Coordinates of all heavy atoms in Angstrom, one line a residue:
I52 N -41.2 30.6 63.3 CA -42.6 30.6 63.7 C -42.9 31.9 64.5 O -42.1 32.3 65.4 CB -43.0 29.4 64.5 CG1 -42.7 28.1 63.7 CG2 -44.4 29.5 65.0 CD1 -42.9 26.8 64.4
E53 N -44.0 32.6 64.2 CA -44.4 33.8 64.9 C -45.8 33.5 65.5 O -46.5 32.6 65.1 CB -44.5 35.0 64.0 CG -45.6 34.9 63.0 CD -45.8 36.2 62.3 OE1 -45.5 37.3 62.8 OE2 -46.3 36.2 61.2
S54 N -46.1 34.3 66.5 CA -47.5 34.2 67.1 C -48.5 34.7 66.1 O -48.2 35.5 65.2 CB -47.5 34.9 68.4 OG -47.3 36.3 68.2
V55 N -49.8 34.3 66.3 CA -50.8 34.8 65.4 C -51.0 36.3 65.6 O -51.2 36.8 66.7 CB -52.1 34.0 65.8 CG1 -53.3 34.5 64.9 CG2 -51.9 32.5 65.6
S56 N -51.0 37.0 64.5 CA -51.2 38.4 64.5 C -51.9 38.8 63.2 O -51.8 38.1 62.2 CB -49.9 39.2 64.7 OG -49.0 38.9 63.6
A57 N -52.4 40.0 63.2 CA -53.1 40.5 61.9 C -52.0 40.9 61.0 O -51.1 41.7 61.3 CB -54.0 41.7 62.3
Q58 N -52.0 40.4 59.8 CA -51.1 40.7 58.7 C -51.6 41.8 57.8 O -52.8 41.7 57.4 CB -50.8 39.4 57.9 CG -50.1 38.3 58.7 CD -48.7 38.6 59.1 OE1 -48.0 39.3 58.4 NE2 -48.3 38.0 60.2
P59 N -50.8 42.8 57.5 CA -51.3 43.8 56.5 C -51.4 43.2 55.2 O -50.6 42.3 54.8 CB -50.2 44.9 56.6 CG -49.0 44.2 57.1 CD -49.5 43.1 58.0
K60 N -52.3 43.6 54.4 CA -52.5 43.0 53.0 C -51.4 43.6 52.1 O -51.2 44.8 52.1 CB -53.9 43.4 52.5 CG -55.0 42.7 53.3 CD -56.3 42.8 52.6 CE -57.3 42.1 53.4 NZ -58.6 42.1 52.9
P61 N -50.7 42.7 51.4 CA -49.6 43.2 50.6 C -50.2 44.0 49.4 O -51.3 43.7 48.9 CB -48.9 41.9 50.1 CG -50.0 40.9 50.2 CD -50.9 41.3 51.3
E62 N -49.4 45.0 49.0 CA -49.8 45.8 47.8 C -49.3 45.1 46.5 O -48.5 44.2 46.6 CB -49.1 47.2 47.9 CG -49.5 48.0 49.1 CD -48.8 49.3 49.2 OE1 -48.1 49.7 48.3 OE2 -48.8 49.9 50.3
K63 N -49.9 45.5 45.4 CA -49.6 44.9 44.2 C -48.3 45.6 43.6 O -48.4 46.5 42.8 CB -50.7 45.0 43.2 CG -52.0 44.4 43.6 CD -51.9 42.9 43.4 CE -53.2 42.3 43.7 NZ -53.2 40.9 43.6
E64 N -47.2 45.1 44.1 CA -45.9 45.7 43.7 C -44.9 44.5 43.3 O -45.1 43.4 43.7 CB -45.2 46.5 44.8 CG -46.0 47.7 45.1 CD -45.4 48.6 46.2 OE1 -44.3 48.2 46.7 OE2 -45.9 49.6 46.6
R65 N -43.9 44.8 42.5 CA -43.0 43.8 42.2 C -42.2 43.5 43.4 O -41.8 44.3 44.2 CB -42.0 44.3 41.1 CG -41.1 43.3 40.5 CD -40.4 43.8 39.3 NE -39.1 44.5 39.7 CZ -38.0 43.9 40.0 NH1 -37.9 42.6 39.9 NH2 -36.9 44.6 40.3
S66 N -41.9 42.2 43.6 CA -41.1 41.7 44.7 C -40.1 40.7 44.3 O -40.3 40.0 43.3 CB -42.1 41.1 45.8 OG -42.7 40.0 45.3
E67 N -39.1 40.6 45.1 CA -38.0 39.6 44.9 C -37.9 38.8 46.2 O -37.9 39.4 47.2 CB -36.7 40.3 44.5 CG -36.6 40.9 43.2 CD -36.7 39.9 42.0 OE1 -36.2 38.8 42.2 OE2 -37.1 40.3 40.9
S68 N -37.8 37.5 46.0 CA -37.6 36.6 47.2 C -36.2 36.2 47.4 O -35.5 35.7 46.5 CB -38.5 35.4 46.9 OG -38.3 34.5 48.0
I69 N -35.6 36.5 48.6 CA -34.3 36.1 48.9 C -34.4 35.1 50.0 O -35.0 35.3 51.0 CB -33.5 37.3 49.4 CG1 -33.4 38.3 48.3 CG2 -32.1 36.9 49.9 CD1 -32.7 39.6 48.7
T70 N -33.8 33.9 49.7 CA -33.8 32.8 50.7 C -32.4 32.5 51.2 O -31.5 32.3 50.5 CB -34.4 31.5 50.0 OG1 -35.6 31.8 49.4 CG2 -34.5 30.4 51.0
I71 N -32.3 32.5 52.6 CA -31.1 32.1 53.2 C -31.3 30.8 53.9 O -32.1 30.6 54.7 CB -30.7 33.2 54.3 CG1 -30.6 34.6 53.7 CG2 -29.4 32.8 54.9 CD1 -30.4 35.7 54.7
Q72 N -30.6 29.8 53.4 CA -30.7 28.4 53.9 C -29.8 28.1 55.0 O -28.8 28.9 55.2 CB -30.6 27.4 52.7 CG -31.7 27.5 51.7 CD -31.6 26.4 50.7 OE1 -30.5 26.1 50.2 NE2 -32.7 25.8 50.4
A73 N -30.0 27.0 55.7 CA -29.2 26.7 56.9 C -27.8 26.4 56.5 O -26.9 26.6 57.3 CB -29.8 25.5 57.6
D74 N -27.5 25.9 55.3 CA -26.1 25.6 54.9 C -25.4 26.8 54.4 O -24.2 26.7 54.0 CB -26.1 24.4 53.9 CG -26.9 24.8 52.6 OD1 -27.4 25.9 52.5 OD2 -26.9 24.0 51.7
G75 N -26.0 28.0 54.4 CA -25.3 29.2 54.0 C -25.5 29.6 52.6 O -25.0 30.7 52.2
T76 N -26.2 28.8 51.8 CA -26.5 29.3 50.5 C -27.6 30.3 50.4 O -28.5 30.3 51.2 CB -26.9 28.1 49.6 OG1 -28.1 27.5 50.2 CG2 -25.8 27.0 49.5
V77 N -27.4 31.3 49.5 CA -28.4 32.4 49.4 C -28.9 32.3 48.0 O -28.2 32.2 47.0 CB -27.7 33.7 49.6 CG1 -28.7 34.9 49.5 CG2 -27.1 33.8 51.0
H78 N -30.3 32.4 47.9 CA -31.0 32.3 46.6 C -31.8 33.6 46.4 O -32.4 34.1 47.3 CB -31.9 31.1 46.5 CG -31.2 29.8 46.6 ND1 -30.7 29.1 45.5 CD2 -30.9 29.1 47.7 CE1 -30.2 28.0 45.9 NE2 -30.3 27.9 47.2
I79 N -31.7 34.1 45.1 CA -32.7 35.1 44.7 C -33.6 34.4 43.7 O -33.2 34.0 42.7 CB -32.0 36.3 44.1 CG1 -31.1 37.0 45.1 CG2 -33.0 37.3 43.6 CD1 -30.3 38.2 44.5
G80 N -34.9 34.3 44.1 CA -35.8 33.5 43.3 C -35.4 32.1 43.4 O -35.4 31.5 44.5
D81 N -35.0 31.4 42.4 CA -34.5 30.0 42.5 C -33.1 29.9 42.0 O -32.6 28.8 41.9 CB -35.4 29.1 41.6 CG -35.5 29.5 40.2 OD1 -35.0 30.6 39.8 OD2 -36.1 28.7 39.4
R82 N -32.3 31.0 41.9 CA -30.9 30.9 41.5 C -30.0 31.2 42.7 O -30.2 32.1 43.5 CB -30.6 31.9 40.4 CG -31.3 31.6 39.1 CD -30.9 32.5 38.0 NE -29.4 32.4 37.8 CZ -28.7 33.4 37.3 NH1 -29.2 34.5 36.9 NH2 -27.4 33.2 37.1
G83 N -29.0 30.4 42.9 CA -28.1 30.5 44.0 C -27.0 31.6 43.7 O -26.5 31.7 42.5
Y84 N -26.6 32.3 44.7 CA -25.6 33.4 44.6 C -24.6 33.3 45.7 O -24.9 32.9 46.8 CB -26.2 34.8 44.6 CG -27.1 35.0 43.3 CD1 -28.4 34.8 43.4 CD2 -26.5 35.6 42.2 CE1 -29.2 35.0 42.2 CE2 -27.3 35.8 41.1 CZ -28.6 35.6 41.1 OH -29.4 35.8 40.0
S85 N -23.4 33.8 45.4 CA -22.4 34.1 46.5 C -22.6 35.5 47.0 O -23.4 36.3 46.4 CB -21.0 33.9 46.0 OG -20.7 35.0 45.1
I86 N -21.9 35.9 48.1 CA -22.1 37.2 48.6 C -21.7 38.3 47.6 O -22.4 39.3 47.5 CB -21.4 37.4 50.0 CG1 -21.9 36.4 51.0 CG2 -21.4 38.8 50.5 CD1 -23.4 36.6 51.3
K87 N -20.6 38.1 46.9 CA -20.2 39.1 45.9 C -21.2 39.2 44.8 O -21.4 40.3 44.3 CB -18.8 38.7 45.4 CG -17.7 38.9 46.4 CD -16.3 38.5 45.8 CE -15.3 38.7 46.8 NZ -13.9 38.4 46.4
Q88 N -21.8 38.1 44.4 CA -22.8 38.2 43.3 C -24.0 38.8 43.8 O -24.7 39.5 43.1 CB -23.1 36.7 42.8 CG -22.0 36.1 42.1 CD -22.3 34.6 41.8 OE1 -23.0 34.0 42.5 NE2 -21.7 34.2 40.7
L89 N -24.3 38.7 45.1 CA -25.5 39.4 45.7 C -25.3 40.9 45.6 O -26.3 41.6 45.3 CB -25.6 39.0 47.2 CG -26.3 37.7 47.5 CD1 -26.4 37.6 49.0 CD2 -27.7 37.6 46.9
D90 N -24.1 41.4 45.8 CA -23.9 42.8 45.6 C -24.2 43.3 44.2 O -24.8 44.4 44.0 CB -22.4 43.2 46.0 CG -22.2 43.2 47.5 OD1 -23.2 43.4 48.2 OD2 -21.0 43.1 47.9
V91 N -23.8 42.5 43.2 CA -24.1 42.9 41.8 C -25.6 42.9 41.6 O -26.2 43.9 41.0 CB -23.4 41.9 40.9 CG1 -23.9 42.2 39.4 CG2 -21.9 42.0 41.0
E92 N -26.3 41.9 42.1 CA -27.8 41.9 41.9 C -28.5 43.0 42.7 O -29.4 43.6 42.2 CB -28.3 40.5 42.4 CG -28.0 39.4 41.4 CD -28.6 39.5 40.1 OE1 -29.9 39.8 40.0 OE2 -27.9 39.4 39.1
F93 N -28.0 43.3 43.9 CA -28.6 44.3 44.7 C -28.4 45.7 44.0 O -29.2 46.6 44.1 CB -28.1 44.3 46.1 CG -28.6 43.1 46.9 CD1 -27.9 42.8 48.1 CD2 -29.7 42.4 46.5 CE1 -28.4 41.7 48.8 CE2 -30.1 41.3 47.3 CZ -29.4 40.9 48.4
A94 N -27.2 45.9 43.4 CA -26.9 47.1 42.7 C -27.9 47.3 41.5 O -28.3 48.4 41.2 CB -25.5 47.1 42.2
R95 N -28.2 46.2 40.8 CA -29.1 46.2 39.7 C -30.5 46.6 40.2 O -31.2 47.4 39.6 CB -29.1 44.9 39.0 CG -29.9 44.9 37.7 CD -29.8 43.5 37.0 NE -30.2 42.4 37.8 CZ -31.5 42.0 37.9 NH1 -32.4 42.6 37.2 NH2 -31.7 40.9 38.6
F96 N -30.9 46.0 41.4 CA -32.2 46.3 41.9 C -32.3 47.8 42.3 O -33.3 48.5 42.1 CB -32.6 45.5 43.2 CG -32.8 44.0 42.9 CD1 -32.6 43.1 43.9 CD2 -33.2 43.6 41.6 CE1 -32.8 41.7 43.6 CE2 -33.4 42.3 41.4 CZ -33.2 41.3 42.4
S97 N -31.3 48.3 43.0 CA -31.3 49.7 43.4 C -31.2 50.7 42.3 O -31.6 51.9 42.5 CB -30.2 50.0 44.5 OG -28.9 49.9 43.8
A98 N -30.7 50.3 41.1 CA -30.7 51.2 40.0 C -32.0 51.4 39.3 O -32.2 52.3 38.5 CB -29.6 50.7 39.0
E99 N -33.0 50.6 39.6 CA -34.3 50.7 39.0 C -35.0 51.9 39.6 O -34.7 52.4 40.7 CB -35.1 49.4 39.3 CG -34.6 48.2 38.7 CD -35.4 46.9 39.0 OE1 -36.4 47.1 39.7 OE2 -34.9 45.9 38.7
T100 N -36.0 52.4 38.8 CA -36.7 53.6 39.2 C -37.6 53.3 40.5 O -37.7 54.2 41.3 CB -37.6 54.2 38.1 OG1 -38.5 53.1 37.7 CG2 -36.8 54.7 36.9

Side-chain angles (χ1 to χ4, degrees):
I52 298 173
E53 71 170 332
S54 63
V55 178
S56 62
Q58 297 288 331
K60 294 188 177 183
E62 300 175 13
K63 299 282 184 184
E64 296 181 359
R65 188 173 86 83
S66 64
E67 291 291 334
S68 176
I69 298 175
T70 305
I71 304 171
Q72 292 186 316
D74 61 357
T76 58
V77 180
H78 296 270
I79 297 177
D81 58 351
R82 294 188 56 207
Y84 291 94
S85 69
I86 296 301
K87 290 182 181 180
Q88 291 172 331
L89 279 179
D90 282 337
V91 172
E92 288 296 312
F93 292 162
R95 187 174 58 83
F96 292 155
S97 65
E99 296 176 7
T100 56

